[in-house]
Amino acid sequence: MFQILSTYFKIIQYQICYYFLGIFAVLDDLKNRDKNKFEIIKKREKVAVITGGARGIGLEVVKKLVQCEMHIVIGCRNVKAGQKTIQQHISSDASIEIYELDLKSFTSVKSFAQQVLSNHDQIHILVNNAGVMFVPYEKCEDGYEAHWTINYLSHFLLTELLLPALKMSGSTNEHARVINVSSCAHEASPLINFGSISNSQGYITNAAYAMSKLAQLMSTKYYNKTLANTNVQVLAVHPGVVNTELFNGTLLKMIMPWILNYICKTPEEGSRSVAYACISPKLEGCGGYYANCQPTKYLPYADDKEAQKQLYDTSMVMIKHFLKVNE
């Protein structure tokens, strides 16, 4: 009974926390609307890889990278549906490939990476975009909770697998970039308990989502330190409060779906800060966390060096059997 009551009160606490975070995030989006701008810069013959690039924010990012004349590789669960969407929304002369990618499966992530590397010896931009939000408890194929697996750990694996190509593709004057699409929701995260990441007992979907986004930000900061002497930079981006399919199934969407059109960014508006992080020369050689095309505040815990190292080491243990691309 005590465990049930404790979980119930924690759920209420998270709901309140998300409510206030959402209010402040919407106000920040409104305040900085004029700064949330993306400038097209030609990047002909450059290669960008993006997960979840066939819908929502990801599709809008792809549209912008197409305008920059980049070659784009999209990873999505349903290739046929992805191809249909791309045909409907993007010019037929755009240079785009679509491969199957199921972020619930490390085997699928590895297969996707192998396909990318077999066709491209250079990768200039990696956008870790796809994700889920507030889904019920589920253990994925490799035994880890769904938010942790899809939002963070599979993208961590993909980054590790593509990192050698990214290092070879960047230069002193133009770094290769890894963009982790995070969220201001990371500020609601509990401190990461590395011994019970996928524990179902007392599971709170809001906390699981927030923790996966905190892990993305901490990983971003750790990579920037360890890659400081390479030609790769890593950035995390909060796209804003965006009305996408991620809101499906949430209480707000069920009770007042109409309100999202008034308080949220459109996917196009949300994509601007992500595309900005991909392309802007103003960010050359810089890492960090951005929203509305400018540096923004984040949970101080993300700067904890010991926690960053523990996150990296724990993540490497979780994915170690999938790290060799050619096996």
Side-chain angles (χ1 to χ4, degrees), residues 3 13 44 47 54 68 81 89 92 98 109-110 128 154 156 168 171 178 207 233 259 266 307:
Q3 180 66 40
Q13 288 176 339
R44 197 169 297 143
V47 177
C68 296
H89 294 276
S92 59
I98 303 179
V109 174
K110 182 175 178 178
N128 293 321
S154 284
F156 176 83
M168 289 190 298
S171 65
V178 178
Q233 63 188 74
I259 200 171
T266 64

Side-chain angles (χ1 to χ4, degrees), residues 21 31 65 82 97 105 118 123 128 132 165 167 183 187 195 210 216 250-251 253 260 286 295 324:
L21 277 175
K31 176 184 175 182
L65 298 183
E97 299 170 77
S105 165
S118 66
I123 300 169
N128 293 321
V132 294
K167 287 179 178 178
S183 169
E187 295 184 63
Q216 284 182 311
T250 62
L251 185 62
K253 187 110 179 199
L260 295 175
C286 301
K324 293 185 178 180

Side-chain angles (χ1 to χ4, degrees), residues 214 217-218 221-222 225 298-308:
L214 175 61
L217 179 54
M218 292 173 65
K221 288 182 160 293
Y222 185 77
K225 290 186 297 185
Y298 54 87
L299 195 67
Y301 174 69
D303 280 328
D304 187 314
K305 295 179 181 179
E306 290 185 8
Q308 289 174 1

Side-chain angles (χ1 to χ4, degrees), residues 20-308:
F20 283 105
L21 277 175
I23 290 174
F24 287 121
V26 168
L27 291 175
D28 187 67
D29 288 344
L30 293 172
K31 176 184 175 182
N32 295 292
R33 178 175 290 172
D34 292 341
K35 298 177 181 177
N36 188 43
K37 295 180 179 179
F38 170 73
E39 179 184 356
I40 295 171
I41 298 173
K42 300 302 182 183
K43 296 283 184 178
R44 197 169 297 143
E45 297 183 358
K46 303 292 185 181
V47 177
V49 177
I50 180 170
T51 66
R55 63 181 184 178
I57 293 172
L59 176 60
E60 297 300 328
V61 172
V62 168
K63 290 178 182 179
K64 289 175 171 56
L65 298 183
V66 164
Q67 289 179 297
C68 296
E69 299 182 6
M70 298 191 73
H71 177 79
I72 302 158
V73 182
I74 297 172
C76 63
R77 283 180 298 172
N78 189 325
V79 173
K80 287 186 178 179
Q83 290 172 335
K84 183 177 180 180
T85 300
I86 294 301
Q87 290 170 359
Q88 289 174 340
H89 294 276
I90 295 179
S91 171
S92 59
D93 61 356
S95 183
I96 296 176
E97 299 170 77
I98 303 179
Y99 302 138
E100 182 179 352
L101 173 62
D102 182 356
L103 291 170
K104 289 185 177 182
S105 165
F106 294 165
T107 298
S108 178
V109 174
K110 182 175 178 178
S111 176
F112 173 74
Q114 288 173 324
Q115 284 184 289
V116 173
L117 294 172
S118 66
N119 291 319
H120 304 282
D121 55 4
Q122 288 200 325
I123 300 169
H124 303 90
I125 296 173
L126 169 62
V127 186
N128 293 321
N129 164 73
V132 294
M133 183 173 76
F134 306 159
V135 296
Y137 183 83
E138 176 189 358
K139 271 193 177 180
C140 294
E141 181 177 289
D142 301 280
Y144 304 108
E145 187 273 331
H147 289 96
W148 183 260
T149 300
I150 297 168
N151 294 350
Y152 167 66
L153 195 56
S154 284
H155 282 124
F156 176 83
L157 172 59
L158 181 60
T159 300
E160 283 292 320
L161 292 171
L162 299 185
L163 196 53
L166 286 158
K167 287 179 178 178
M168 289 190 298
S169 305
S171 65
T172 303
N173 296 325
E174 189 173 1
H175 284 60
R177 299 186 186 187
V178 178
I179 316 299
N180 292 317
V181 181
S182 188
S183 169
C184 68
H186 80 272
E187 295 184 63
S189 175
L191 303 186
I192 299 176
N193 184 342
F194 294 97
S196 61
I197 288 172
S198 293
N199 195 344
S200 62
Q201 187 175 6
Y203 176 77
I204 301 173
T205 185
N206 309 66
Y209 174 73
M211 190 171 72
S212 70
K213 293 301 176 179
L214 175 61
Q216 284 182 311
L217 179 54
M218 292 173 65
S219 179
T220 296
K221 288 182 160 293
Y222 185 77
Y223 269 126
N224 267 318
K225 290 186 297 185
T226 58
L227 297 174
N229 295 321
T230 71
N231 294 319
V232 179
Q233 63 188 74
V234 188
L235 305 96
V237 178
H238 165 56
V241 182
V242 184
N243 187 7
T244 68
E245 292 179 5
L246 287 182
F247 275 100
N248 290 351
T250 62
L251 185 62
L252 186 61
K253 187 110 179 199
M254 288 187 289
I255 296 175
M256 294 185 295
W258 52 268
I259 200 171
L260 295 175
N261 293 326
Y262 292 96
I263 66 173
C264 295
K265 287 180 176 179
T266 64
E268 188 282 320
E269 290 170 329
S271 73
R272 295 176 193 174
S273 54
V274 180
Y276 174 82
C278 292
I279 297 297
S280 176
K282 295 178 182 178
L283 300 184
E284 180 57 42
C286 301
Y289 178 53
Y290 294 83
N292 291 307
C293 302
Q294 58 188 328
T296 191
K297 65 181 182 68
Y298 54 87
L299 195 67
Y301 174 69
D303 280 328
D304 187 314
K305 295 179 181 179
E306 290 185 8
Q308 289 174 1

